[in-house]
Amino acid sequence: MEFQEKIRRKKGKQKIIMLTAYDYQIAKILDGMNIDLILVGDSLGMVVQGRGNTKSVTMTDMIYHVRAVARGAKNTPIIGDMPINSCNTMEDGLRNAKHFLEAGAHGVKIEGNRPEVINALIDARIPVMGHVGMLPQIAETYRVKGKKPEEAEAILRDALELDRLGVFSMVLECIPESLAKKITETVKTPTIGIGAGRYCDGQVLVINDMLGLDENFKPKYVKRYANLNKVIKDAVAKFMEEVSAGKYPDKEHTYH
Ligand code: KIV
């Protein structure tokens, strides 16, 4: 069964699990764990490149990381995140989505409601994941969207439009739980939440956040499933100590 159908069939039955990956080794780990989807997110602008937002990520950046992830994940559908300005026109959208597929992605994610582009991609049989709510490519500040009634209505309208267009799933980012629940119950498309509460059909997190790599980044919705920041610091401190004391390398780690 093609992966889009598998994801669609999970709605209301089993939760969809997605995580981001940006490199070969993490992709290989996720691939070995039967995760539903790997997203090569433009969040790489922040967690890999150290920028303040995703607004300067380019297609060249995205393709580089999709290629690396595709070498590690042989069995898991990979979704490439269309970066800012990559689909301003239908022609750009089609051309760039094809670049993602050539690099090893199985589908693309598009932020916001862009009916013309999404339609063209779906017509060309390119799987599209939608993304509504807080949209980092256009947001001035990262804050919860949809608390005001008019904002909530606009987000619901966008979700309904994506549903009508036939995206195979849609990310709901940083919106109140009640709105995410309403959208999830209204659309036939599976919803995948990030900061959107308990009632979505699935969940996604940025892998660096859930692994606790950045000790200073802790928005409310992020649960740290590990503290890699501490694990790395402890390992580096031990290495420094042992090299300084002449304990490393020892006999065991030396060629004879
Ligand atoms: O870029 C990204 O990682 C994303 C997720 C936060 C959904 O869009």
Side-chain angles (χ1 to χ4, degrees), residues 18 20 22 39-44 54 81 109 111 131 136 171 173 194 204-206 221:
M18 178 162 83
T20 66
Y22 315 100
L39 173 68
V40 183
D42 65 354
S43 48
L44 66 84
T54 61
D81 209 0
K109 176 167 82 59
E111 266 188 34
H131 184 159
V171 168
E173 179 161 1
I194 175 162
V204 55
L205 280 175
V206 169
Y221 67 85

Side-chain angles (χ1 to χ4, degrees), residues 159-231:
L160 285 167
E161 175 77 346
L162 295 183
D163 192 44
R164 190 188 65 74
L165 290 167
V167 297
F168 76 91
S169 60
M170 66 177 89
V171 168
L172 307 183
E173 179 161 1
C174 287
I175 59 173
E177 181 176 75
S178 54
L179 176 59
K181 185 169 188 281
K182 184 166 181 186
I183 293 172
T184 301
E185 287 171 356
T186 309
V187 298
K188 60 180 185 308
T189 307
T191 60
I192 305 180
I194 175 162
R198 294 163 290 179
Y199 302 106
C200 299
D201 297 305
Q203 295 292 327
V204 55
L205 280 175
V206 169
I207 192 136
N208 299 51
D209 299 344
M210 60 89 77
L211 294 178
L213 270 161
D214 185 343
E215 60 188 346
N216 299 317
F217 186 71
K218 179 92 184 58
K220 185 167 189 216
Y221 67 85
V222 169
K223 179 168 177 182
R224 286 189 184 149
Y225 287 85
N227 187 350
L228 286 200
N229 188 286
K230 182 171 181 328
V231 170

Side-chain angles (χ1 to χ4, degrees), residues 15-157:
K15 293 283 187 185
I16 298 157
I17 319 288
M18 178 162 83
L19 280 170
T20 66
Y22 315 100
D23 65 36
Y24 165 77
Q25 291 191 335
I26 294 285
K28 200 166 147 193
I29 294 171
L30 298 183
D31 195 46
M33 294 197 64
N34 253 344
I35 192 165
D36 291 306
L37 297 162
I38 294 177
L39 173 68
V40 183
D42 65 354
S43 48
L44 66 84
M46 301 165 86
V47 300
V48 179
Q49 299 176 333
R51 299 180 190 273
N53 54 50
T54 61
K55 293 180 190 182
S56 53
V57 175
T58 63
M59 271 303 291
T60 309
D61 296 332
M62 293 306 303
I63 294 301
Y64 174 90
H65 288 278
V66 167
R67 287 210 175 101
V69 166
R71 285 185 208 109
K74 299 288 182 207
N75 304 302
T76 312
I78 298 166
I79 307 303
D81 209 0
M82 302 280 285
I84 191 163
N85 294 331
S86 64
C87 52
N88 288 345
T89 65
M90 205 171 78
E91 291 74 21
D92 285 353
L94 261 175
R95 191 185 58 253
N96 286 322
K98 285 179 186 163
H99 288 322
F100 271 108
L101 300 191
E102 283 157 15
H106 302 85
V108 296
K109 176 167 82 59
I110 296 183
E111 266 188 34
N113 179 7
R114 293 164 180 266
E116 225 202 9
V117 179
I118 294 174
N119 224 351
L121 266 56
I122 292 176
D123 270 358
R125 306 183 70 82
I126 298 173
V128 179
M129 175 183 282
H131 184 159
V132 299
M134 200 280 282
L135 301 176
Q137 287 174 12
I138 56 167
E140 289 304 323
T141 54
Y142 290 3
R143 62 165 184 85
V144 178
K145 283 271 173 176
K147 283 193 171 178
K148 297 181 195 144
E150 64 275 15
E151 254 180 25
E153 276 160 31
I155 293 169
L156 177 60
R157 261 200 316 277

